[in-house]
Amino acid sequence: MTVDKIALVTGANRGLGRSAAIALATRGVRVVVTHRGDAAGAVKTVEEAQAVGGTAAALRLDISDVPSFASFTTELGAQLERWGTSRLDILVNNAGLGVFGPLETVTIDDFDTVMGTNVRGTFFLIQSLMPLLAQGGQVINVSTSLTRHTSPATSVYSASKAAVEALSRTLAAELGPRGIRVNSIAPGPTATDFNGGAMRDDAGMRQVLAGQTALGRVGEPEEIGDAIATLASEGLRWVTAQRIEVSGGALL
């Protein structure tokens, strides 16, 4: 991977987004990390990226606030200019949220919040950033292994990520003439602070989930970050419209 590549990683103030940003920075990619309001977390990601020899900057972005995307795109363009370029090479759509509960407990607001963030926000952010995305660039959308297997009380979240995977395949065909690759990464159970950090902190849950994977353990966020950085590399330049699951063989 050449050192002049620039990536934008949404929701990179923590968890998988932070791991992806650091993995990219380790490989010589300059990284713009976004956060919805956790400026301190974003600064920590920038500092960790710099600690591995990378270059990074932080911008605020709420992907549920589609009307704000125009001003964000302007801010991003200004950051790119500070780095002496006008183009973005890699867009990692990691930011998202989950609302979990059985059918009878899910409210209209719950449904609209999840779909509005994970699907609507992802789609329109890609649309907004298309003028900046370089010929031959790429989009990586973060999904979940739950689009392949099932788990109780995850229906809305899983459906939103299935929609993201469908968007990825369709946009791969639409943007292919520009040489733009679009893929999705589907993490399995991973020890992050997502959903209150349950998979990281609940020993009982970790044991159950570990027993459901071929490799016998829960994943670490760095393993997802490495997978994203590998997919973004020139070594996988012939890969597009794919769903790549990174789950340790969950529920085979």
Side-chain angles (χ1 to χ4, degrees):
M1 185 177 294
T2 57
V3 296
D4 64 345
K5 296 282 188 181
I6 297 178
L8 171 69
V9 183
T10 65
N13 53 295
R14 62 183 179 90
L16 300 185
R18 174 177 289 165
S19 296
I22 294 168
L24 288 162
T26 300
R27 292 159 174 80
V29 178
R30 287 177 284 179
V31 185
V32 178
V33 306
T34 78
H35 64 95
R36 189 173 61 176
D38 178 18
V43 168
K44 182 177 179 182
T45 302
V46 169
E47 291 173 345
E48 291 191 20
Q50 293 170 339
V52 298
T55 300
L59 294 176
R60 188 181 187 283
L61 171 66
D62 181 352
I63 68 163
S64 69
D65 184 9
V66 172
S68 73
F69 289 177
S71 61
F72 172 77
T73 301
T74 299
E75 291 177 18
L76 176 60
Q79 178 59 53
L80 296 177
E81 288 181 9
R82 286 192 285 274
W83 283 344
T85 186
S86 60
R87 58 110 186 45
L88 180 70
D89 300 289
I90 303 162
L91 169 60
V92 181
N93 284 306
N94 164 75
L97 56 81
V99 175
F100 302 100
L103 175 65
E104 62 271 16
T105 69
V106 176
T107 68
I108 293 174
D109 284 344
D110 290 338
F111 186 96
D112 289 348
T113 296
V114 173
M115 291 295 179
T117 302
N118 296 356
V119 185
R120 183 173 180 262
T122 296
F123 178 87
F124 284 106
L125 184 63
I126 296 171
Q127 183 190 75
S128 296
L129 297 183
M130 271 301 105
L132 297 179
L133 198 63
Q135 178 82 16
Q138 57 185 295
V139 178
I140 300 172
N141 296 320
V142 176
S143 180
T144 175
S145 65
L146 287 166
T147 61
R148 176 182 59 81
H149 60 80
T150 60
S151 181
T154 66
S155 57
V156 178
Y157 176 71
S158 300
S160 74
K161 292 300 188 176
V164 167
E165 291 180 9
L167 286 176
S168 301
R169 291 191 300 273
T170 303
L171 292 178
E174 185 173 334
L175 301 177
R178 288 182 51 188
I180 295 173
R181 300 191 288 119
V182 186
N183 294 288
S184 56
I185 285 277
T190 308
T192 71
D193 52 3
F194 183 73
N195 192 26
M199 284 180 277
R200 180 192 61 198
D201 302 329
D202 187 326
M205 177 179 287
R206 285 174 65 94
Q207 183 176 10
V208 170
L209 293 172
Q212 296 174 346
T213 69
L215 295 182
R217 62 178 177 84
V218 169
E220 297 298 328
E222 294 78 13
E223 293 170 316
I224 310 302
D226 285 342
I228 290 171
T230 299
L231 182 56
S233 73
E234 288 301 304
L236 293 182
R237 61 189 177 276
W238 193 233
V239 176
T240 194
Q242 299 304 304
R243 173 194 184 274
I244 299 176
E245 184 168 312
V246 189
S247 69
L251 291 167
L252 296 177

